[in-house]
Amino acid sequence: MQSIGRAASARSQKADDLERAAFDLRRAADWAAGSWKGRSGEAFVASTADVAAELRGLAAGLEHQTSTLQTYGRAVEAIQAEVRVLEARRTMAQTSLALAAAHVEAIRREAEHMVAADPTGLASEEEYRPGEKSMWERRADEDRRELLSVDRAWDDLVEERAVVDRRCVTALDDPVVRGRLPSIREAAVATASPEQLLALLGGLSRTDLALLLQDHPELVDVAFRADPERVRAWWDELGRGSVDGDGMTAAQAALIAGAPAIIGALDGVPPVARVLANRLNAERRIDEIDLLLAGRSTRGASTVGEDAAGLMRERAYLAGAVSEPPVVQLYLFDPAADRIVEMIGEWGATTSSIITYVPGTGARLDSFYGDPREVQQVSDWFASRDEGYVSFVYKDGRFPQNLLEANLPARALPTGAQLASFQAGLRQSYDPGQMNEIAIGHSWGLANVTSSEVAGARYDHVVSLAGAGMPSAWEPRDGTTYSDYRYLDALHVAQWTGQVWNGKNPGQHWAFERDGLFSGPDDHELAFTRDLERKAEILVENHTLIASSSAENQQALRKILWRITS
């Protein structure tokens, strides 16, 4: 009983502490709402309100447990009192029975001796002290009945204690105490349906979401199998109600904060929500980088090597994603899986053209982290010309890192299916009939784009920037215009041999419109120099030039702009 009382008292005290903490947090949120301006202040207020709600929920659960334990303690105390009474009755009955049995046995033995000593043989045991023997036998019977009664009462008491125990366990296990997470955890782990999983996640708090995914990271991959159209319907359903400064309801904000690994990469979720989720993923990655760099310093190793320099470049890039306002918008960011998509431009009612830009051979995560910017140059140029253009610089998974890999159609086809899935998810956020959809592929990036067409993607315009080639199954689509822009470069020279993509390339295919080769800034050297290394250097530079926003490439970019808007 004392232990039950102590447990109840400890829970009651903890509930009071949590209520005080929730009150203090509410005061802090009220102060921040009036004094802390900007996105960081709004984020603080939102997170503080969520934590306060969690604390109040915990306090309510502890109060429920306190009441349950107090009720249980009183019931156990009453049962223990009845146990003491039954034990006293059992002791008295056993003592009385033993005394009666002893008297009966004594009379029986005396009667045996008497009969044995009677010379006449007329004496009878039944006639020896019959009244006294009968009295003790009746008392023994009464004692046995008392013991049976005590046994029945004991059994009833055991069952009553079991009922009280079960009632206590059930009350302690009540959703009021445990919250929704345990039952949802079981259902989430058991389901094989991504749509059912999303439905389960939709009502959880950010804390419960974080705990669930921390214990079951495999659920992230289950969610990614959801159909983009059904994802968008689910997201819109969660969007009913009042919204915050980012345009999100409380349920949507909880998912962004509690499950950014899912929301930041879930096809069908609108771009604005994905960018918000990937701000958090970027923050977590920055924390990881800081720990890695600090760990190197702690061990005494140099932090100026290539690895450390790469981490610092990544950190500087991600700082732009978490800045206020952000200068980098991440539509997808999963460095562990070699996945990144940067959105360039302002997504909104004025958006009229979607550009999917796929860089070429050699593209890596680090290609996005350069200063000055590297693979984003063409998209930056379009965004600077017209606010209606929103570009997605795309690298989902490992890209070919050498010419041998880039010339294997078998490598491009699976990536094409991934790009088609990306477009299907993005299309849930706009009407394709009212949007100008453009795919631009540089070098191997065109193979990725045309492979996505084989997988079902549709574009209004496909633009080749010195594109490598198209898979054998590719055919131009009705309603899509195709154009190819390039300088005389290393890839173009290699394509003359017919060995690149089996000769199926945009420089030679009838579907691609061409304006001839642009003249590179150093092309005049090609005609007279005998230095083969210099020739190769110019040809490689020309291959890179077509994917740049440099002054030398402005003519090409203006022609592309005219082509996709005419």
Side-chain angles (χ1 to χ4, degrees):
M1 270 304 299
Q2 289 182 349
S3 61
I4 296 174
R6 285 194 298 270
S9 178
R11 282 165 172 76
S12 179
Q13 182 176 351
K14 180 58 69 175
D16 291 341
D17 292 342
L18 292 173
E19 286 287 0
R20 283 192 294 271
F23 176 76
D24 291 340
L25 283 173
R26 287 196 298 271
R27 289 180 59 189
D30 291 341
W31 169 84
S35 304
W36 192 348
K37 303 302 181 183
R39 182 181 293 273
S40 58
E42 293 172 359
F44 175 81
V45 170
S47 62
T48 301
D50 287 344
V51 173
E54 295 286 345
L55 293 178
R56 289 194 298 272
L58 287 172
L62 289 171
E63 289 289 3
H64 185 86
Q65 284 192 340
T66 298
S67 176
T68 296
L69 290 172
Q70 289 172 340
T71 300
Y72 177 64
R74 289 191 293 270
V76 170
E77 187 175 15
I79 290 172
Q80 288 178 340
E82 292 187 38
V83 165
R84 288 191 291 271
V85 171
L86 289 179
E87 287 176 342
R89 287 176 57 188
R90 186 191 301 277
T91 299
M92 291 179 62
Q94 289 174 337
T95 301
S96 177
L97 177 60
L99 180 62
H103 279 89
V104 170
E105 179 64 17
I107 293 172
R108 184 185 66 76
R109 288 181 179 178
E110 288 180 4
E112 287 179 349
H113 290 311
M114 181 196 69
V115 171
D118 182 9
T120 64
L122 298 176
S124 169
E125 292 183 13
E126 288 77 10
E127 295 177 353
Y128 183 76
R129 298 167 64 183
E132 186 179 359
K133 180 181 178 184
S134 178
M135 182 268 292
W136 287 113
E137 286 176 340
R138 287 195 303 274
R139 180 175 294 183
D141 289 341
E142 291 173 357
D143 291 336
R144 293 188 184 94
R145 285 193 294 273
E146 171 68 359
L147 288 173
L148 288 174
S149 176
V150 168
D151 286 342
R152 285 193 295 270
W154 188 273
D155 291 341
D156 292 342
L157 207 56
V158 169
E159 178 59 29
E160 183 180 350
R161 175 59 187 267
V163 169
V164 168
D165 289 345
R166 287 195 298 270
R167 188 180 298 129
C168 180
V169 170
T170 300
L172 291 175
D173 202 44
D174 189 272
V176 173
V177 177
R178 299 172 67 215
R180 298 179 59 205
L181 183 58
S183 59
I184 288 181
R185 184 194 306 270
E186 295 170 2
V189 172
T191 185
S193 166
E195 288 79 16
Q196 290 179 0
L197 172 61
L198 294 178
L200 291 170
L201 300 182
L204 290 177
S205 70
R206 66 176 65 190
T207 302
D208 284 347
L209 284 163
L211 291 173
L212 176 61
L213 296 181
Q214 177 180 305
D215 292 340
H216 298 282
E218 72 278 5
L219 296 179
V220 175
D221 292 330
V222 175
F224 288 161
R225 297 200 300 268
D227 176 75
E229 185 175 356
R230 297 178 70 178
V231 168
R232 184 55 194 259
W234 164 76
W235 186 260
D236 288 346
E237 183 64 28
L238 293 175
R240 300 179 184 275
S242 58
V243 298
D244 59 18
D246 292 318
M248 303 296 155
T249 63
Q252 291 173 331
L255 279 161
I256 290 171
I262 289 179
I263 303 304
L266 185 59
D267 287 337
V269 172
V272 172
R274 288 184 60 160
V275 169
L276 288 171
N278 283 314
R279 283 172 61 96
L280 299 177
N281 290 328
E283 287 179 358
R284 294 179 180 180
R285 177 57 180 165
I286 288 174
D287 291 340
E288 291 176 1
I289 291 172
D290 288 343
L291 288 174
L292 288 171
L293 293 173
R296 282 173 168 269
S297 298
T298 300
R299 292 193 298 269
S302 172
T303 60
V304 296
E306 183 178 349
D307 291 346
L311 289 172
M312 288 187 283
R313 283 194 300 271
E314 181 182 1
R315 194 191 190 289
Y317 174 80
L318 295 178
V322 302
S323 64
E324 184 57 48
V327 295
V328 172
Q329 301 176 94
L330 293 172
Y331 180 81
L332 172 64
F333 183 64
D334 183 2
D338 211 359
R339 309 179 75 197
I340 185 171
V341 177
E342 181 180 339
M343 184 176 79
I344 299 174
E346 294 300 321
W347 184 272
T350 61
T351 303
S352 58
S353 296
I354 301 294
I355 296 177
T356 300
Y357 181 88
V358 186
T361 304
R364 298 176 294 122
L365 290 175
D366 193 63
S367 303
F368 284 74
Y369 306 154
D371 183 17
R373 283 152 73 79
E374 183 179 337
V375 294
Q376 302 99 325
Q377 290 185 50
V378 172
S379 294
D380 286 339
W381 187 89
F382 275 97
S384 69
R385 291 302 182 276
D386 190 332
E387 66 177 5
Y389 282 88
V390 175
S391 292
F392 294 85
V393 184
Y394 173 95
K395 196 192 89 70
D396 195 345
R398 184 181 182 277
F399 274 26
Q401 296 300 302
N402 55 58
L403 295 179
L404 179 61
E405 291 181 346
N407 198 32
L408 295 175
R411 286 291 307 275
L413 286 172
T415 67
Q418 190 70 17
L419 179 54
S421 177
F422 160 84
Q423 191 202 42
L426 188 58
R427 274 187 158 198
Q428 301 308 311
S429 297
Y430 61 86
D431 180 359
Q434 303 299 317
M435 192 72 68
N436 187 21
E437 297 176 296
I438 306 149
I440 301 177
H442 174 231
S443 188
W444 179 87
L446 179 73
N448 195 182
V449 169
T450 52
S451 293
S452 76
E453 291 187 287
V454 174
R458 292 181 178 274
Y459 309 100
D460 295 308
H461 306 276
V462 170
V463 177
S464 161
L465 300 182
M470 298 84 73
S472 59
W474 176 85
E475 294 294 337
R477 287 185 176 273
D478 291 339
T480 302
T481 66
Y482 297 88
S483 53
D484 178 55
Y485 302 88
R486 65 180 64 227
Y487 298 86
L488 179 61
D489 66 10
L491 178 62
H492 192 51
V493 172
Q495 287 170 337
W496 290 342
T497 67
Q499 300 302 309
V500 179
W501 284 80
N502 298 318
K504 194 170 186 178
N505 61 73
Q508 298 171 329
H509 197 282
W510 61 264
F512 283 81
E513 299 178 3
R514 290 172 292 277
D515 292 325
L517 296 176
F518 292 104
S519 178
D522 298 319
D523 282 5
H524 61 281
E525 292 187 47
L526 293 173
F528 63 84
T529 183
R530 296 182 179 181
D531 186 340
L532 295 181
E533 289 187 3
R534 177 55 181 158
K535 284 179 180 288
E537 181 182 11
I538 293 171
L539 293 175
V540 170
E541 289 174 351
N542 282 350
H543 186 67
T544 303
L545 176 62
I546 193 64
S548 75
S549 59
S550 65
E552 294 84 356
N553 198 43
Q554 292 297 303
Q555 180 186 7
L557 293 176
R558 287 193 295 269
K559 283 198 172 186
I560 295 171
L561 179 60
W562 176 83
R563 180 79 69 183
I564 64 179
T565 55
S566 60

